[in-house]
Amino acid sequence: MSTFTQLSPSRKRLLGALLAVAMVGVGSIGVGGAVAAETAPRAAVDLGEAGTFAVLSKSGITDVYASAVSGNVGSSPITGAAIHLTCPEVLTGTIYSVDAEGPSCKVTDDTYLTTAVSDLELAYTDAAGRTTPDFINLGAGEIGGLTLTPGLYKWGTDVNISTDVTLTGSSTDVFIFQISKDLQQASAQNVILAGDAQAKNVFWQVAGSVAIGTTAHFEGTILSQTMIAMKTGASINGRLLAQTAVTLQSNTVTAPVE
């Protein structure tokens, strides 16, 4: 008689459950699926003063007229001459510059921008440093067509959104996406929030560049170590926070309601 058959029913159930968890953890890492999740809810990424901006960069903001931005805009440490948005394109909020250069309506506040950019870098480090992901290499980097639940997602690859992707959750659920390479969204495709999921609780930490396709729609805060490029007519309910440049082409950028 085997050792297993000699166990009590309760011991068999316990052993079976442990084996099931082990199989999920091992198998999912190999194929790009779920791993054992933490029981505690994920905390949102603290954006500090960077969270007061719809568009914030370190090396400038280019623009093809006409974009529509709702929220603060700024760039530092580069001169305000690298901010190409015009005053009428910023529907609400303020354009901040480190010097006297830039749009005529700008406010010069080097100290505020220095703090905001420092907070941007801290927020990027926070998001990148989150541990124990719930999902590793999901879809081998292709998340188009999926419905994603709250949690921490990690990829060692590019991430592509070739068709609509849905994020579903409650008003307090947090989504954090750690992407070690580039993020690309195809033209005319959408990131969709379902249930009561909120853009303010969605964070995309991208080590490479970000490209949001023509007329595509995106949700959440993008924390990019390099460039964020919005293609013609694309829109975002969220923030564009880049450690190099942000490029706009007749886009709609709306900072999420806190």
Side-chain angles (χ1 to χ4, degrees):
M1 182 178 295
S2 69
T3 302
F4 182 80
T5 57
Q6 295 175 3
L7 294 175
S8 67
S10 61
R11 291 283 185 177
K12 289 179 182 179
R13 288 193 294 271
L14 177 59
L15 180 58
L18 291 173
L19 288 171
V21 170
M23 290 176 67
V24 168
V26 173
S28 61
I29 293 175
V31 301
V35 297
E38 291 181 331
T39 56
R42 300 285 176 182
V45 176
D46 185 359
L47 299 175
E49 293 300 329
T52 65
F53 285 82
V55 184
L56 180 63
S57 80
K58 294 175 69 173
S59 57
I61 303 164
T62 65
D63 175 58
V64 175
Y65 189 85
S67 293
V69 179
S70 298
N72 292 339
V73 172
S75 192
S76 173
I78 199 167
T79 174
I83 302 174
H84 295 168
L85 278 163
T86 63
C87 298
E89 291 177 283
V90 181
L91 307 181
T92 62
T94 301
I95 300 175
Y96 288 94
S97 171
V98 299
D99 55 24
E101 300 297 324
S104 60
C105 61
K106 54 102 183 30
V107 171
T108 303
D109 196 332
D110 182 31
T111 300
Y112 181 48
L113 281 169
T114 298
T115 300
V117 168
S118 176
D119 287 348
L120 180 163
E121 294 169 336
L122 289 171
Y124 178 92
T125 300
D126 175 12
R130 298 296 180 96
T131 59
T132 61
D134 303 298
F135 300 88
I136 297 177
N137 294 327
L138 183 68
E142 173 56 74
I143 61 173
L146 301 181
T147 296
L148 306 182
T149 54
L152 177 61
Y153 294 73
K154 183 180 183 67
W155 288 273
T157 62
D158 294 337
V159 168
N160 297 295
I161 304 173
S162 61
T163 58
D164 292 355
V165 60
T166 301
L167 314 182
T168 184
S170 73
S171 61
T172 58
D173 284 332
V174 173
F175 300 76
I176 300 175
F177 302 97
Q178 298 174 330
I179 302 169
S180 66
K181 295 186 179 180
D182 298 338
L183 170 61
Q184 300 184 40
Q185 182 176 6
S187 297
Q189 305 306 313
N190 305 291
V191 176
I192 300 167
L193 299 184
D196 201 21
Q198 304 291 307
K200 66 180 182 180
N201 294 327
V202 179
F203 304 91
W204 305 79
Q205 174 263 316
V206 186
S209 63
V210 178
I212 308 300
T214 301
T215 70
H217 179 73
F218 200 84
E219 295 276 350
T221 293
I222 301 175
L223 292 157
S224 179
Q225 197 168 39
T226 57
M227 175 179 286
I228 302 174
M230 299 281 285
K231 301 302 178 66
T232 304
S235 61
I236 179 172
N237 178 28
R239 303 178 183 87
L240 305 175
L241 308 180
Q243 294 187 45
T244 61
V246 172
T247 66
L248 303 177
Q249 298 180 36
S250 304
N251 305 122
T252 300
V253 182
T254 304
V257 177
E258 293 295 330

